Amino acid sequence: MNTLDWLTALAAIDTTSRNANLGLIETVRDDLRRQGLDPRLTHNAEGTKANLFCTLPARDGGTQGGIALSGHTDTVPVDGQDWTSDPFKLTERGGKLYARGSCDMKGFIACAVGMVPEFLATPRARPLHLAFSYDEEIACIGAPVMLADLQARGVRVDGCIVGEPTSMKPVVAHKGLNAWRCRVHGKAAHSSLTPRGCNAIEHAARLICAIRDVAEAWRAEGPFDDCYDVPYSTITTNMVSGGIAMNTIAQLCEFTYEFRNLPVVPPAEVQARIEAYVQGELLPRMRSEYAEARVEFENLAAAPGLDASEQAAITQLVRALTQDASVRKVAYGTEAGLFQRAGIPTVVCGPGSIEQAHKVDEFVEPDQLAQCERFLRQVAESL
Ligand SMILES: [Zn+2]
């Protein structure tokens, strides 16, 4: 099957992140097996989802080193979107290929899988690997499972290309994404008897303001990197709930905040700063009202930023093949930071425009897929 056949097949499998992705993974796995390959699946705890990692060995059978082509198999939902055609049926209209995931990022996966026979026929001194993950769209949950398995098995990969939509231009950096839920536990009381309670909402509000202070300090003092749209790290509280009645002091207030750190800002330090405020100021205050007051944090997402080295062989290769030397840094997160943190130099380069991703009537242009095929052919030849 060629790229178009594969994209048609992949688009027809609804891999919205809330669903199992096994239909897609097993379809790819079976095809790779028929070609004599030995794909390895790593599942989530429930067994409903899997990553696929498959090595296309070098000419001499070598499986260490080489380059990985990475893509996520899940997509964002189509809920509430008014699509012109069935989002799970690849439809050509006006020279564009429409389907959920056509651009983000089944187009890249279709190119990679469709070209396996060609990759196998290319005399390579080093291996090529396919690395397809689950649950990228919900905070990059699958890729760490695959990376841990590679590490446990001692599989070494020299470089990685994450094929997220960049219009086939190299992206060398993106911010990290971290999300946390915070639960502030106070004490309920009738609202006429305020000294008997400990108002979780009011104390949570102080903490939310302290988080806002972090945001304002970043904005005023940096660090800055002008290659980004928003050239500093950001942090913001985006959901809050608390209280049960208008005449009852709230026992519980819960909120979530999210920060997008420049790669030079370690996320652990950001969280430590927030927790230091809680320990040093908020809790002593709360406990003067109620000895058992407490504040809990739960991490919801932790995708590290990417900051590729210009010296890395993979960066130089992708720059050479795309003939593009511009330094592009983007606001959206990808799995690239996870690969980099695992010691695998990584850049982002894939077909389609990020403008199309996640939207109604998502599409990819056939020319982008053709460019991607040419690019992947050259990647294989470089090995
Ligand atoms: Zn994506």
Side-chain angles (χ1 to χ4, degrees), residues 72 104-105 136-137 164-165 358:
H72 62 80
D104 183 14
M105 53 184 290
E136 188 270 352
E137 296 288 5
E164 289 275 0
H358 299 201

Coordinates of all heavy atoms in Angstrom, one line a residue, residues 72 104-105 136-137 164-165 358, ligand 1:
H72 N 2.5 10.3 16.7 CA 1.5 9.8 17.7 C 0.3 9.4 16.9 O 0.0 9.9 15.8 CB 1.1 10.9 18.7 CG 0.5 12.2 18.1 ND1 -0.8 12.3 17.8 CD2 1.1 13.4 17.9 CE1 -1.0 13.5 17.3 NE2 0.1 14.2 17.4
D104 N -2.4 16.0 11.6 CA -1.8 15.8 12.9 C -2.3 14.5 13.5 O -3.3 14.4 14.2 CB -2.3 17.0 13.8 CG -1.7 16.9 15.2 OD1 -0.8 16.2 15.4 OD2 -2.3 17.6 16.1
M105 N -1.5 13.4 13.2 CA -0.4 13.3 12.3 C -0.3 12.0 11.6 O 0.7 11.4 11.5 CB 0.9 13.7 13.0 CG 1.2 12.8 14.3 SD 2.7 13.4 15.1 CE 4.0 12.9 14.0
E136 N -0.7 11.1 22.9 CA 0.1 12.3 22.8 C -0.8 13.5 23.1 O -0.4 14.4 23.8 CB 0.8 12.5 21.5 CG 1.8 13.6 21.4 CD 1.2 15.0 21.0 OE1 0.1 15.1 20.6 OE2 1.9 16.0 21.1
E137 N -2.0 13.5 22.6 CA -2.9 14.6 22.6 C -3.4 14.9 24.1 O -3.9 15.9 24.4 CB -4.0 14.5 21.7 CG -3.6 14.5 20.2 CD -3.2 15.9 19.7 OE1 -3.1 16.8 20.5 OE2 -2.9 15.9 18.5
E164 N 5.5 15.9 13.5 CA 4.4 16.8 13.7 C 4.3 17.8 12.5 O 5.4 18.1 11.9 CB 4.5 17.6 15.0 CG 4.4 16.7 16.3 CD 2.9 16.6 16.7 OE1 2.0 17.1 16.0 OE2 2.7 15.9 17.7
P165 N 3.1 18.3 12.3 CA 3.0 19.3 11.1 C 3.8 20.5 11.3 O 3.6 21.3 12.2 CB 1.5 19.6 11.1 CG 0.9 19.1 12.4 CD 1.8 18.0 12.9
H358 N -6.2 20.1 14.7 CA -7.2 20.2 15.7 C -8.5 20.9 15.2 O -9.5 21.0 15.9 CB -6.7 20.9 17.0 CG -5.6 20.2 17.6 ND1 -5.3 20.4 18.9 CD2 -4.7 19.3 17.2 CE1 -4.2 19.7 19.3 NE2 -3.9 19.0 18.2
Ligands
ZN1 ZN 0.2 16.2 17.0

